[in-house]
Amino acid sequence: MSGNMAKVAGVDVSTDHFIGGRRVASKNKFSNISPIDGSLLCEVSAGGKAEVDQAVAAARKAFPAWAALGPKGRLPYLKKFAEGIKARAAELAAVETMDNGSLLLGNVHRVVPRAAQNIEFFADWALTLEGHSIDSPEVVNHVRYDPAGVAALITPWNAPLMLTTWKVGPALAAGNAVVVKPPEWAPLTCSLMADIAHAAGLPDGVLNVVQGIGEEAGDALVNHPDVDRISFTGSTDTAKIIGQAAARSITPMSAELGGKSPFIVCADADLDAAAQTVAAQYMNAGQVCLAGTRVMVEKSIEPGFLEKVRTAASHMVVGDPRDKDTRVGPLIHKEHFERVAGFVDRAKAAGAVPLWGGNRANFGELYFEPTLFTHVSPELEIAQREVFGPVLTWQTFTDDDEVVAMANNTDYGLAGTLFSRNEKRAMSIADKVTAGTLWVNCFFVRDLAAPFGGARNSGIGREGGTWSFDFYTDIKNISVRKGSFA
């Protein structure tokens, strides 16, 4: 490796961009701080228009040969890429924990394996799209999934490696070349990912990484005239800005955005399982867009169920995310901590009452106590806006129509969770809740073949299975009259 390097968790990580198969430094830098203890991990190259232009040009140059390989030709490269992620799983997990404060055990056992699976799965799925035909009385329709070109992939800081590979996998498998803009608050595992892709033999320019601030590198990327697809995961407000840029050039855009998901517990539920799952909403310090932050409990079981949740939540230990006993680590950044604390302070001032938590944890600067608010009226900000921290609200309902109305009483529609042993009742409620994903008697199960995305302000489009390829390709129908060839 060459260029500027940093030692993070004992791992050598490049702090430069990866463009056209080589490391490229920028004169401008930004500081990368670990949320665990506030230590400076490194100074990272901050790209802008010049670096984005270079990366898009490299991707455009690499695209024709990569696209021409077809799904079978690309498969060996992508399989080797996935194997490279597996081989460096311990390093990736350790760096991601230092970079964004997520739990080390979760990164080792769940996040990094899923990152490798994201690459493997879509490489295999692309094979299923070849040779797809529709027979009509007069013609045979040959459906082709043609690579779109250059895909701009903008990823978030709460799970940067996993959510980047969730985009990179289908984009590359479809035959596109990509430019990744990683999150400035946690860019390092995307840098390692570029090294792994290069070692796997991906041709120069097929995968590029430009680091930088969203208003600079991100803005240049989404406004670039030679970008054919834009995929973004992040906040609704940022998506509106990106959407305006995409509209100017009529560039297709996919967006997976925030949520304010309901967590519905019916009186006929497995209450022990439901209580444990409520407590699990504090995972990753609540920095999970899918989290069921609005707990809605059938009134008849409220006292007993509340005690079950209190017991389960008491085991959500706040601490160093490298410690195997920790369940809640730090918030990502001082700016984000102040945002979460602001939501909590305003909720208290508006009359909401914390049943527990509500303050900075006695561990470190960016650690916040798992919090549950009661006396939450539907119109309160804390019940309407995404906090993205370890903060839940508690409401009760008396019948199914009431809870459906409560569940749908936000601008979001990303996900929902429902516990009930009554199948007819559960499916009736699930059918009426506005959400891209509704888990029944489970949580956070993501089958890569299934569609994933949000309704309302929670997103545009769907990812997963063929839905990903619908986005990352231009779908062509070649309609041939039967018997017209000699």
Side-chain angles (χ1 to χ4, degrees):
M1 290 182 286
S2 60
N4 298 299
M5 305 294 295
K7 183 79 74 173
V8 178
V11 181
D12 290 321
V13 184
S14 174
T15 59
D16 293 333
H17 315 291
F18 187 80
I19 299 173
R22 64 186 183 92
R23 289 293 174 177
V24 176
S26 292
K27 180 179 179 180
N28 294 329
K29 310 286 183 182
F30 62 91
S31 297
N32 186 28
I33 307 295
S34 175
I36 296 175
D37 56 10
S39 61
L40 175 66
L41 294 177
C42 52
E43 297 288 338
V44 180
S45 284
K49 186 177 184 304
E51 291 85 355
V52 167
D53 286 347
Q54 187 178 353
V56 173
R60 180 59 60 191
K61 181 180 178 181
F63 166 65
W66 181 248
L69 288 174
K72 290 180 182 178
R74 292 187 289 269
L75 184 67
Y77 293 97
L78 297 176
K79 289 288 189 179
K80 193 172 180 181
F81 183 12
E83 289 303 317
I85 292 174
K86 294 176 187 176
R88 299 191 66 181
E91 295 173 282
L92 289 162
V95 171
E96 184 128 310
T97 293
M98 286 300 297
D99 209 15
N100 78 343
S102 52
L103 299 187
L104 180 59
L105 280 177
N107 287 333
V108 169
H109 296 294
R110 182 176 58 83
V111 174
V112 177
R114 182 53 173 261
Q117 185 188 3
N118 286 341
I119 304 297
E120 286 182 318
F121 173 87
F122 288 108
D124 288 329
W125 193 273
L127 300 176
T128 70
L129 304 178
E130 291 188 304
H132 177 46
S133 297
I134 302 170
D135 191 24
S136 299
E138 297 182 27
V139 300
V140 177
N141 300 283
H142 300 283
V143 180
R144 290 178 51 89
Y145 287 78
D146 292 342
V150 175
L153 312 178
I154 302 174
T155 57
W157 46 258
N158 59 326
L161 179 66
M162 191 267 285
L163 292 177
T164 297
T165 55
W166 170 242
K167 299 178 186 297
V168 165
L172 292 183
N176 302 291
V178 304
V179 179
V180 175
K181 193 281 179 188
E184 57 261 37
W185 284 351
L188 298 183
T189 47
C190 288
S191 181
L192 288 173
M193 178 195 69
D195 289 332
I196 294 168
H198 186 63
L202 264 70
D204 294 349
V206 168
L207 186 149
N208 307 274
V209 177
V210 178
Q211 300 157 151
I213 308 303
E215 292 83 354
E216 298 168 3
D219 182 73
L221 186 56
V222 300
N223 281 286
H224 200 287
D226 211 16
V227 163
D228 300 290
R229 293 291 187 274
I230 299 171
S231 180
F232 170 73
T233 298
S235 74
T236 301
D237 288 342
T238 301
K240 292 176 182 179
I241 297 170
I242 295 173
Q244 291 173 349
R248 284 192 288 270
S249 54
I250 318 181
T251 302
M253 173 187 172
S254 173
E256 193 261 284
L257 309 175
K260 192 69 178 175
S261 301
F263 191 117
I264 301 168
V265 182
C266 298
D268 52 33
D270 179 339
L271 299 184
D272 290 327
Q276 292 294 328
T277 311
V278 169
Q281 307 310 298
Y282 293 125
M283 69 180 186
N284 205 26
Q287 298 167 131
V288 179
C289 57
L290 300 166
T293 57
R294 294 183 295 143
V295 183
M296 301 171 182
V297 180
E298 194 158 4
K299 183 69 175 176
S300 62
I301 61 167
E302 181 185 18
F305 184 66
L306 178 59
E307 290 311 304
K308 288 179 181 291
V309 174
R310 187 189 300 274
T311 299
S314 70
H315 298 293
M316 301 302 290
V317 178
V318 178
D320 190 316
R322 295 166 294 186
D323 188 325
K324 64 180 178 62
D325 295 323
T326 295
R327 294 296 175 266
V328 179
L331 296 173
I332 181 72
H333 191 276
K334 182 178 179 181
E335 180 182 320
H336 186 59
F337 182 95
E338 291 172 351
R339 180 180 183 274
V340 171
F343 272 108
V344 170
D345 290 344
R346 291 190 297 275
K348 292 176 181 177
V353 177
L355 287 170
W356 55 76
N359 298 290
R360 185 192 305 271
N362 294 321
F363 189 83
E365 183 181 5
L366 300 184
Y367 296 76
F368 204 89
E369 294 176 332
T371 300
L372 178 66
F373 275 108
T374 188
H375 296 288
V376 177
S377 57
E379 73 279 359
L380 284 189
E381 178 193 51
I382 199 72
Q384 290 290 327
R385 303 263 65 84
E386 183 179 45
V387 178
F388 219 58
V391 180
L392 310 180
T393 61
W394 182 276
Q395 297 168 286
T396 60
F397 66 92
T398 55
D399 60 52
D400 294 357
D401 288 342
E402 182 184 13
V403 77
V404 168
M406 290 166 60
N408 291 337
N409 186 35
T410 73
D411 295 331
Y412 297 101
L414 184 58
T417 302
L418 166 66
F419 273 77
S420 171
R421 284 194 175 101
N422 184 318
E423 181 179 4
K424 182 178 180 180
R425 182 186 189 189
M427 296 309 295
S428 174
I429 295 172
D431 284 346
K432 297 169 186 174
V433 173
T434 301
T437 300
L438 202 298
W439 286 290
V440 178
N441 299 324
C442 60
F443 174 66
F444 212 52
V445 179
R446 293 266 300 270
D447 190 315
L448 291 175
F452 177 77
R456 296 177 174 169
N457 283 356
S458 288
I460 303 169
R462 293 293 183 270
E463 298 175 284
T466 303
W467 291 273
S468 286
F469 291 92
D470 288 345
F471 174 70
Y472 286 113
T473 63
D474 289 318
I475 302 174
K476 178 190 297 179
N477 179 34
I478 302 175
S479 184
V480 180
R481 178 177 290 278
K482 293 180 178 177
S484 61
F485 294 134

